[in-house]
Amino acid sequence: MPAPIPEEQHRMDRDALLDAAERLFYARGIQAIGMDAVRAASGLPLKRIYRFFATKEDLVLAVLNRRDQRWRASLTAYVEPVTDPRERVLAIFDWLADWFAEPGFRGCAWINAHGELGASSAAVLAEVRSHKRAFHDQVAQWVHATQLPVAEPVFLLAEGAIVTAGISGEPAPARHARAAVASMLGVS
Amino acid sequence: MPAPIPEEQHRMDRDALLDAAERLFYARGIQAIGMDAVRAASGLPLKRIYRFFATKEDLVLAVLNRRDQRWRASLTAYVEPVTDPRERVLAIFDWLADWFAEPGFRGCAWINAHGELGASSAAVLAEVRSHKRAFHDQVAQWVHATQLPVAEPVFLLAEGAIVTAGISGEPAPARHARAAVASMLGVS
DNA sequence: AGCCGTAGAGAACGGTCGTTCTCGATATGA
DNA sequence: TCATATCGAGAACGACCGTTCTCTACGGCT
C-alpha cells in the first residue's frame, strides 16, 4: 500500500470529518453535538478541524451542502432512468419510501436544521432554502414533462410525506403521497 | 379595580409565563432562549418559574400543549361553521393562508420543536406526535364527511404547505394546496 | 409589637459550550 | 547535526446554561 500523497490525505481527512459530523448532527441534532464529540468521532485533532472550518457554523454549512449534493444526486440517479414521464414522477415517491425505511431515518436534515438554527443563523437558513428550492425545481421539471399542471401539489405532497414520516417514524406517507400523485396523473 | 384573589393571580402569572415563553421560543428557538430571558420577559422571579415548572423541559411541554389546544380550537372555530362538507375542507386552507400571513410567522412550532429536541427529549417528541395525530384525525374527520377517500392526501398537502411556507417565508403554498384539494374534491 | 413563614432579587454553582493556547514531540532542510 | 517550523494532545479560557442557594424584606397572625 503506497503512502498517500499529502493532498489526497487532506481530502480524505476532510471527508472523514464531514462524515462524522453529518452522522452525529443528523442522529442527535446539531446543537446537541459539541465540537469535542466531532473530534472524537472523526479522529482528527481539534486544531485541524478548525483549520478546515473556522467555526462550527462553517462546518454545519459544509455538512448540509455536501449532503444536499449527495441527496439530490441519489434521487436523480434513481428517477432519471425511468423513461415514461408519469412513471418517472411516481419514482420520486418510491425513492422516498426507500429513504424513509432506512435505519436511523429521522426526517429531513434541512427541515430539522431549520427548526434548530433557522432563527439564529442566516447562513443556515439560506442553505436550507437553497436545498428546498433545488428540490422543488427538480420536481417541477420532471412534472413538466408530463404536460400536466400539477408541479406544486406534487412538490407539496413530497414535502408533506417527508415531514410526516420524519415525525411519525413510519414510512406510510410515501405510499399515500404516491397514490395521490398517481391519481392526479391519471395512472391507473 | 378590585385586588385580584390569590388564586386568580396565580393563574394570571402562569399565563404570563407561558405567554412570554411561547413568544420567545417560537421567535428564536427553544434552545436559544435561556431561563433568564424567560424570567425577564415574564416579569416573574426565577424561583416562582421553577415552582410552576420544575424543569425547562416541563415548561416547554406546557407551552406546546397550550399552543396545541389554542391552535386547533382556532382552526375548528374557523372551519366548523362552514356547512358544505367540501367547502369546509377548503376552509382549512383559507385558515392556513391567514396563519402564514401573520407577522412573525416562522413555521410550525411542533415541526421546529421536533427538529430541535425530537432526538434528545422523548417527552417533546411525544408531544409533537400527539399534536400531529390530533390534527391528522381532525382533518380526516372533515374529509370523511365529503364521502371522498382523500383524507391522507389532504393531510399531506396541509403539512407540505405548512413546512414549505415556514421555510420559504411565503404564503403561496396555502393557495397551491387549496387548489389541489379543490380539484380532488371536484369543486370547480 | 413581635415573631415567623414566605417572598423577591440576584449571586453562586457545577457543567458544557465553542474556541484558543501551551507544550512537548516530530519532521524538515541546509 | 542542529535550528526551525509544524504537528497532535489536551488543558485552559471566557461565556453561558439550567438550577439552586443566600440574604434581605415584608406580611399576617396573636
Side-chain angles (χ1 to χ4, degrees):
Chain A
M1 185 165 57
I5 285 133
E7 281 179 30
E8 201 173 333
Q9 185 65 37
H10 190 267
R11 203 180 47 77
M12 284 174 54
D13 288 346
R14 189 189 151 100
D15 286 348
L17 170 57
L18 290 171
D19 287 345
E22 180 176 347
R23 194 164 40 80
L24 290 171
F25 290 163
Y26 182 70
R28 295 200 255 146
I30 294 167
Q31 314 213 78
I33 299 299
M35 290 301 282
D36 199 64
V38 174
R39 177 201 57 78
S42 68
L44 294 174
L46 221 36
K47 205 183 210 172
R48 205 119 85 80
I49 294 177
Y50 277 94
R51 295 236 287 148
F52 279 121
F53 304 104
T55 65
K56 185 184 183 182
E57 186 180 41
D58 287 346
L59 172 60
V60 170
L61 293 171
V63 164
L64 289 177
N65 194 277
R66 194 188 62 151
R67 187 180 174 99
D68 170 61
Q69 292 176 237
R70 186 159 32 76
W71 190 89
R72 289 191 294 116
S74 170
L75 172 62
T76 299
Y78 186 96
V79 165
E80 289 277 10
V82 180
T83 51
D84 179 71
R86 288 183 290 185
E87 290 296 333
R88 195 192 297 145
V89 170
L90 290 175
I92 298 169
F93 295 86
D94 296 331
W95 185 85
L96 288 180
D98 287 353
W99 180 34
F100 298 168
E102 281 179 13
F105 173 75
R106 213 181 68 77
C108 172
W110 297 271
I111 292 174
N112 294 345
H114 176 262
E116 280 200 81
L117 301 169
S120 54
S121 165
V124 168
L125 177 59
E127 189 68 34
V128 171
R129 285 180 171 167
S130 165
H131 163 78
K132 286 302 183 191
R133 194 176 311 118
F135 176 51
H136 171 277
D137 291 353
Q138 178 65 270
V139 168
Q141 185 181 312
W142 287 326
V143 174
H144 189 69
T146 68
Q147 313 262 44
L148 291 164
V150 291
E152 297 304 328
V154 168
F155 172 72
L156 293 179
L157 283 165
E159 286 295 314
I162 290 169
V163 77
T164 300
I167 287 173
S168 71
E170 288 164 22
R175 290 202 321 274
H176 296 145
R178 188 192 197 279
V181 171
S183 173
M184 290 190 320
L185 296 176
V187 178
S188 50
Chain B
M1 185 165 56
I5 285 133
E7 283 179 29
E8 201 173 334
Q9 185 65 39
H10 189 267
R11 205 181 47 77
M12 284 174 54
D13 287 346
R14 189 189 150 100
D15 286 348
L17 171 56
L18 290 171
D19 286 346
E22 180 175 350
R23 195 163 38 81
L24 289 171
F25 289 164
Y26 182 70
R28 295 200 256 146
I30 294 167
Q31 313 211 82
I33 299 300
M35 290 300 282
D36 199 66
V38 174
R39 178 201 57 78
S42 68
L44 295 172
L46 222 35
K47 205 186 220 171
R48 204 119 87 80
I49 294 176
Y50 276 94
R51 295 237 286 150
F52 279 122
F53 304 103
T55 64
K56 185 184 182 181
E57 186 180 43
D58 288 345
L59 172 61
V60 170
L61 293 171
V63 164
L64 289 177
N65 193 277
R66 195 188 62 152
R67 187 179 174 99
D68 170 61
Q69 291 176 236
R70 185 159 32 76
W71 190 89
R72 289 191 294 117
S74 170
L75 172 62
T76 300
Y78 187 94
V79 164
E80 290 276 11
V82 180
T83 51
D84 179 70
R86 289 183 290 185
E87 288 296 333
R88 196 192 297 146
V89 170
L90 289 176
I92 299 168
F93 295 87
D94 296 331
W95 185 84
L96 287 180
D98 287 352
W99 180 33
F100 299 167
E102 281 178 14
F105 173 75
R106 215 182 67 78
C108 172
W110 297 271
I111 292 174
N112 293 346
H114 176 262
E116 279 200 81
L117 302 169
S120 54
S121 165
V124 168
L125 177 59
E127 189 68 33
V128 172
R129 285 180 170 167
S130 165
H131 163 78
K132 286 303 182 190
R133 194 176 312 117
F135 176 52
H136 171 277
D137 291 352
Q138 178 65 270
V139 168
Q141 185 182 312
W142 286 327
V143 174
H144 188 70
T146 67
Q147 313 261 45
L148 291 164
V150 291
E152 296 305 326
V154 168
F155 172 72
L156 292 179
L157 283 165
E159 286 295 313
I162 290 169
V163 77
T164 300
I167 287 174
S168 71
E170 286 165 24
R175 290 201 322 273
H176 296 145
R178 189 192 197 279
V181 170
S183 175
M184 291 190 319
L185 297 176
V187 178
S188 50

